[in-house]
Amino acid sequence: MSYREFPFLHIEVDELTSVITMDWDGTFTSAQFREAVTYCMELVAQKKLKYWLANSSRIGEIQPADQKWSSEVLLPRLSELGVKKVALVIPEDLNSHLAITTIMVRGKEKSTFAANYFVKKKDALDWMLGK
């Protein structure tokens, strides 16, 4: 099922498999990024979702302050909400790839979920669902 649309983000929730999927595509401001990510965290809380799939293959630039915010706010919150696995489809753009890796490395000690990186969305989904 689709949820709120952002110009740079398409969100889907599959309650049957307990997966939220975020397909990032394009650029955004810091405020837009945080609003979108916060909205996704709220969906996870409301639906008690266990799997977070971020398809970041076409994500815009994540500002350093938002990288820090993601490490310090997003990742611990996902752990508090009981998320079991986070799958990241890595961006083609090297700067975005490094930004996402930085977020995950900085937030690793504050998170309790398993995380993995993928090149293809299908592989990420298969890993999360144990296929």
Side-chain angles (χ1 to χ4, degrees), residues 49-91:
L49 303 172
K50 299 299 176 200
Y51 305 106
W52 176 279
L53 194 167
N55 179 4
S56 305
S57 59
R58 295 168 32 159
I59 196 168
E61 183 180 356
I62 305 171
Q63 298 299 319
D66 296 323
Q67 294 173 36
K68 187 173 192 279
W69 177 85
S70 295
S71 295
E72 294 176 355
V73 175
L74 167 64
L75 300 184
R77 182 71 178 133
L78 292 180
S79 292
E80 289 169 12
L81 292 171
V83 169
K84 295 185 182 308
K85 291 183 179 179
V86 171
L88 302 150
V89 180
I90 55 175

Side-chain angles (χ1 to χ4, degrees), residues 10-81:
H10 175 77
I11 303 162
E12 287 188 19
V13 171
D14 184 337
E15 292 186 61
L16 199 60
T17 57
S18 196
V19 175
I20 183 169
T21 301
M22 293 141 290
D23 288 302
W24 293 89
D25 188 7
T27 59
F28 39 80
T29 65
S30 179
Q32 289 172 321
F33 175 79
R34 292 183 192 204
E35 177 187 8
V37 171
T38 299
Y39 177 76
C40 291
M41 286 190 288
E42 290 168 1
L43 279 175
V44 168
Q46 288 169 11
K47 307 285 184 188
K48 299 183 179 10
L49 303 172
K50 299 299 176 200
Y51 305 106
W52 176 279
L53 194 167
N55 179 4
S56 305
S57 59
R58 295 168 32 159
I59 196 168
E61 183 180 356
I62 305 171
Q63 298 299 319
D66 296 323
Q67 294 173 36
K68 187 173 192 279
W69 177 85
S70 295
S71 295
E72 294 176 355
V73 175
L74 167 64
L75 300 184
R77 182 71 178 133
L78 292 180
S79 292
E80 289 169 12
L81 292 171

Side-chain angles (χ1 to χ4, degrees), residues 77-127:
R77 182 71 178 133
L78 292 180
S79 292
E80 289 169 12
L81 292 171
V83 169
K84 295 185 182 308
K85 291 183 179 179
V86 171
L88 302 150
V89 180
I90 55 175
E92 296 168 11
D93 173 71
L94 181 60
N95 288 332
S96 296
H97 184 137
L98 291 173
I100 288 173
T101 305
T102 299
I103 290 167
M104 297 306 292
V105 168
R106 285 184 183 157
K108 189 167 180 61
E109 64 195 40
K110 300 173 195 144
S111 56
T112 57
F113 50 78
N116 214 336
Y117 302 93
F118 299 88
V119 175
K120 295 182 179 162
K121 185 175 168 181
K122 182 189 179 319
D123 294 340
L125 195 56
D126 287 350
W127 171 76

